[in-house]
Structures are given as C-alpha cells and as structure tokens.
C-alpha cells in the first residue's frame, strides 16, 4: 500500500498530478472531496475540478470525517483526498480538535490496504499573516503537513505543474 502526499502552492498543478498518480493504480479510483460549495464561487471551482477529472471516479464528499471515509473505502482502487488544507479549515471552523483529527488520520493511513494520494497546500512560504486566525491556520497547516509527510511513503512538491520528489 502506498501513501503519497502531494503539496505545493495555489494553482501549482497539485490536483492534476494527484489525479494522474491515483489513476495509475489498478481499480476504480475514489475521489474524497473535502470542499463544500458554500457559495457560488466555490461551486464553480468544484464544477471545474469535476469536469477536468472526467468520469471513472467514485466521488464522496467528506468535509470532516476523513479517517472514517478512508477506512470505509479501503480494499478497492486508490483514494485521492483533495485537499487536506480545506479539511483542516473545516475542522477548525467546526471547533473540532484538529491536532487529534490529524493524528487519527496519520494512524489510519498506517493501517490501510489500498493506496492513498493526499493533496495539501504549502501555505507557509509567504509573509507572516497579519491576524491571529490566519497565523493559527498557517501554523496548523504546517504541523499537519509535517505529520502526514512523516507517514507518507512518497512526498512530492509541485511547482508550475512540475513535481519535485522530496521523499
């Protein structure tokens, strides 16, 4: 079983790379979407992702209970989680203990049979945010990414559509 973490900046090509990696495994891939269409702009983004991906995917919307969704979908094709940073945002907005949830996800990844490709954003490369909430989110994302990267078999950083192997 493979755990692959793909990170990078906004519009870097992470999702396209992750989709290709997930489709390379045998079986029908499962797309675990963490985004919620809470406004028209986000609904449009989701629609564009779906159109680009095309058919052939089993799709599940998983804004919060990601570890449970991975367990429930284990034993078939590869699962693509897009994306961890939206999932983190959902957890924080819901008032859930994100550190507990991230550690539970990491423990779950260790016990799965089918491949998992996870997409995450690298949000810590810019300037220090000017408000406490944004700094808290940036710090949480960095901790989450380090935790998942530790458990991943492979880690890629995508820049301008080009993957760089980190692990």
């Amino acid at each position: 079983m493979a755990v692959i973490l793909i990170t990078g900046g906004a519009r870097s090509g992470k999702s396209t790379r992750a989709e290709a990696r997930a489709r390379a495994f045998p079986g029908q891939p499962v797309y675990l979407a963490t985004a919620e269409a809470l406004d028209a702009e986000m609904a449009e983004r989701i629609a564009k992702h779906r159109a680009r991906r095309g058919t052939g995917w089993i799709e599940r919307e998983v804004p919060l209970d990601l570890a449970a969704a991975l367990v429930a979908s284990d034993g078939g094709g590869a699962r693509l989680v897009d994306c961890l940073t939206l999932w983190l945002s959902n957890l924080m907005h819901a008032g859930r203990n994100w550190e507990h949830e991230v550690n539970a996800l990491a423990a779950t990844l260790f016990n799965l049979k089918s491949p998992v490709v996870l997409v995450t954003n690298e949000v810590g490369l810019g300037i220090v945010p000017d408000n406490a909430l944004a700094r808290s989110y940036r710090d949480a994302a960095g901790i989450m990414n380090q935790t998942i990267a530790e458990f991943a078999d492979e880690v890629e950083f995508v820049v301008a559509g080009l993957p760089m192997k980190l692990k």
Side-chain angles (χ1 to χ4, degrees), residues 31-59:
Y31 189 91
L32 300 176
T34 62
E36 295 181 284
L38 300 177
D39 58 37
E41 187 269 339
M42 187 55 104
E44 185 178 329
R45 284 177 179 260
I46 291 169
K48 285 180 180 178
H49 265 249
R50 280 189 176 131
R52 185 192 67 235
R53 256 191 331 273
T55 59
W57 293 81
I58 299 168
E59 293 186 11

Side-chain angles (χ1 to χ4, degrees), residues 29-146:
V30 179
Y31 189 91
L32 300 176
T34 62
E36 295 181 284
L38 300 177
D39 58 37
E41 187 269 339
M42 187 55 104
E44 185 178 329
R45 284 177 179 260
I46 291 169
K48 285 180 180 178
H49 265 249
R50 280 189 176 131
R52 185 192 67 235
R53 256 191 331 273
T55 59
W57 293 81
I58 299 168
E59 293 186 11
R60 301 284 183 263
E61 294 181 6
V62 188
L64 293 171
D65 297 320
L66 188 52
L70 285 167
V71 170
S73 62
D74 201 21
R79 279 74 50 79
L80 169 55
V81 175
D82 198 356
C83 78
L84 289 178
T85 40
L86 277 173
W87 174 67
L88 176 66
S89 177
N90 295 342
L91 292 172
M92 293 175 82
H93 182 72
R96 301 213 2 206
N97 182 336
W98 67 265
E99 291 174 289
H100 171 77
E101 298 279 351
V102 166
N103 288 328
L105 174 61
T108 298
L109 292 172
F110 188 72
N111 294 309
L112 296 174
K113 294 177 274 197
S114 298
V116 180
V117 180
L118 304 119
V119 176
T120 192
N121 287 284
E122 183 52 59
V123 298
L125 293 175
I127 62 172
V128 175
D130 69 346
N131 66 78
L133 177 60
R135 286 189 298 273
S136 176
Y137 176 74
R138 180 213 46 199
D139 294 349
I143 292 166
M144 175 188 68
N145 288 345
Q146 289 182 58

Side-chain angles (χ1 to χ4, degrees), residues 5-9 12-14 17 120-123 125 154-167:
L5 179 65
I6 298 180
T7 189
S12 63
K14 303 178 302 290
R17 175 67 178 164
T120 192
N121 287 284
E122 183 52 59
V123 298
L125 293 175
E154 296 178 45
V155 179
E156 292 182 354
F157 184 68
V158 179
V159 178
L162 301 172
M164 295 186 301
K165 187 172 179 113
L166 302 178
K167 178 179 178 184

